[in-house]
Amino acid sequence: MKKIIALGGSNSKNSINKTLAIYAANKIENTEVSIIDLNNFELPLYGIDYETAHGIPENAVKLSHQIEDADGLVIALAEHNGSYTVAFKNALDWMSRIDIKVWKDKPILLLATSPGARGGTIVLESAKTYFPFLGGNVIAGFSLPNFYDTFLENQITNVELKLELIDKIHLFEQVLNDK
């Protein structure tokens, strides 16, 4: 059985991206899903002066090890002003000090959602470009627009979007199973 991580790129306690990541990860067959909540990995704001004085925080090391132990990642990114949330970017920055290949060449199903019509597409496209530099093997990307209208009772209600995500999940499963 393959181990995958579901991660929402937000520190919101009610993160819609974490909800989407968990939903998608639970659709992947023959896997054991671990949920990573960034709130469980509190980190000081990255800065070279802090790192020089205190070293790399234990939570960054723990998060990096969890990623290393996984076979694949389902990451859903929240978008703040067209970019990553501060909590997510800060975790990336700290983990990159341990190993620039933050994602350890793991296959990634990359997702984004938002309450608006664009569904986090700006941050999704940015991550598709950036993650390979951090050792990310992005298999597929999916954006769910209008979260509060298209995701009800723990289901995607728009049939076309639901089928699109299922197709992306199948691509991810193929790569995961070939690993």
Side-chain angles (χ1 to χ4, degrees), residues 8 13-26 76 113 147 151 154:
K13 290 178 184 173
N14 299 310
S15 169
I16 59 177
N17 279 279
K18 184 170 90 172
T19 299
L20 181 60
I22 293 167
Y23 170 81
N26 284 323
T113 190
F147 180 83
F151 194 92
N154 205 34

Side-chain angles (χ1 to χ4, degrees), residues 2-60:
K2 300 287 184 171
K3 294 180 188 177
I4 60 171
I5 288 174
L7 168 66
S10 168
N11 61 346
S12 169
K13 290 178 184 173
N14 299 310
S15 169
I16 59 177
N17 279 279
K18 184 170 90 172
T19 299
L20 181 60
I22 293 167
Y23 170 81
N26 284 323
K27 299 284 184 199
I28 301 167
E29 295 185 9
N30 301 315
T31 60
E32 176 187 320
V33 178
S34 295
I35 300 164
I36 290 183
D37 185 330
L38 290 178
N39 290 306
N40 296 330
F41 296 90
E42 195 170 304
L43 294 165
L45 188 60
Y46 177 77
I48 192 65
D49 294 336
Y50 185 94
E51 182 183 353
T52 300
H54 305 284
I56 295 172
E58 186 60 31
N59 276 341

Side-chain angles (χ1 to χ4, degrees), residues 86-98:
V86 171
F88 182 77
K89 179 66 168 77
N90 193 48
L92 276 182
D93 290 343
W94 274 114
M95 289 189 299
S96 75
R97 300 300 290 171
I98 299 165

Side-chain angles (χ1 to χ4, degrees), residues 84-148:
Y84 309 109
T85 66
V86 171
F88 182 77
K89 179 66 168 77
N90 193 48
L92 276 182
D93 290 343
W94 274 114
M95 289 189 299
S96 75
R97 300 300 290 171
I98 299 165
D99 180 359
I100 193 63
K101 298 244 183 209
V102 169
W103 305 123
K104 320 292 187 214
D105 298 316
K106 308 292 180 174
I108 299 173
L109 176 59
L110 196 54
L111 315 170
T113 190
S114 74
R118 295 187 48 96
T121 55
I122 295 172
V123 74
L124 183 66
E125 292 305 313
S126 175
K128 283 182 187 176
T129 302
Y130 182 52
F131 280 18
F133 292 105
L134 298 175
N137 179 11
V138 178
I139 305 306
F142 173 79
S143 167
L144 181 66
N146 305 308
F147 180 83
Y148 295 108

